[in-house]
Amino acid sequence: MIRLNQLAGQVKEKKAQIDPMEYLSLYDLLTPEELEVRKAVEAFVAKEVTPKINDYVEAAQFPTEIVNAVKPLKLFHHFLNKPYGHGTSYTKQGIILMEAARADAGFATFIAVQNLLLNYTLEKFGSEAQKQKYLTKTRDIEYIGGWGLTEKGYGSDASSLTSNVKKVQGGYILNGDKRWIGNGNKDVLIVWARNLDTNKVEGFIVETKWPGYHAEVIQGKLALRIVQNCQITFTNIFIPDENKLESVTDFQNGPNQVLMHSRVIVPWIALGVMRGVYEHSLKWTTTRKQFGKYLASFQLQQERLVRILSTFQASFLMVLRLSRLAAEGKATIGMISSVKAWVTDKTREVARLGREMLGGDGIISDNYVIKALTDAEVLYTYEGTYDINSLVAGREITGIGAFK
């Protein structure tokens, strides 16, 4: 393995430094295991994802072929602790998502939904019987699933959800709806619903084949196109007692805990988008000529490249620091929210700059930047909008709540 200080020493020998991680020796900040996982995912993405993903993007179809190719890697084991996984860290999970997002943020989002939401919920709140029945299958991608919190009438105000369960003999009856649920038309779904007897939000494992489950893929979506976001309705679905997540006590000790976990890692997807924009923009401007010289020789283009590179590096340092603090149990909800808000906002800026640099060819999906431009809008919104995350951090800073 090449030592990182050797990589850093090679910068001066290159006319065009493609990898923004090398420019400030950012690889030096990662552990050997994190570097090993990053290299393996990078190789897989280059071989299996990048050459194929845009066909699925243009068709707005789930990339079944690519997802099946992931299975032999046991990649999702890196998102779980032993005995169900290899042992994990926030940074290792983030690096996997960053490398995936360099090819497509939608593909990275699929991985995030399956692992940061579905599998994490099963690992944290599931019984051993539930883990044996479901987690072993979702981990190995035998089952694909989603996480049902958001509703048509409740997005940022998720704790006011109205999907509900009523206790009956042997289980519960579920009614209600969910919206924007990734993988909602696949095999299994974590559903958060209000218990009509206690008025508390509780969690349930629902199989999509059960009577009363109906999912429709939301049409006309121009971002994260491979992600199958669904509008779901529940009509008198019977959920057996053994499918209730018994250790969930309420919204705070349930979905909110999962969101705090996932919100630490989601900014890594934004990093992958920034990095993808930088790499495609650098390649374009150093190979395309106008007015008799390479685009990269123009001052405006160089300034944009430097701004994109510097924004990525600053964001990487912020996200890495947050991930390390979270691993130590020191990251607060305000810290998590402020980093997610700031980094996704900067991703929008970077995507816009990349789009400008590629001119007319910037609207072609193979050139990445138009995907980045639309996908960045979703990153800016999901896992809490920019405004809500800013206000969460503001509440922590001032001690004054500016919203519910």
Side-chain angles (χ1 to χ4, degrees), residues 117-167:
L117 298 176
L118 173 60
N119 287 351
Y120 180 77
T121 300
L122 291 170
E123 181 181 42
K124 183 174 180 63
F125 295 109
S127 66
E128 285 304 313
Q130 290 168 344
K131 292 175 186 178
Q132 286 293 328
K133 183 176 181 179
Y134 292 106
L135 184 57
T136 55
K137 291 182 173 62
T138 56
R139 176 199 63 191
D140 295 333
I141 325 182
E142 294 176 29
Y143 284 174
I144 293 173
W147 199 78
L149 176 63
T150 303
E151 298 180 0
K152 189 172 183 178
Y154 298 94
S156 296
D157 188 15
S159 63
S160 296
L161 60 85
T162 59
S163 290
N164 61 82
V165 292
K166 180 71 175 177
K167 187 73 179 77

Side-chain angles (χ1 to χ4, degrees), residues 5 100 105 161 218 242 269 333 365 379:
N5 57 4
L161 60 85
I218 296 171
E242 58 264 29
I269 300 178
I333 189 172
S365 59
L379 297 175

Side-chain angles (χ1 to χ4, degrees), residues 100-112:
R102 287 171 68 187
D104 185 70
F107 180 62
T109 297
F110 155 70
I111 297 173

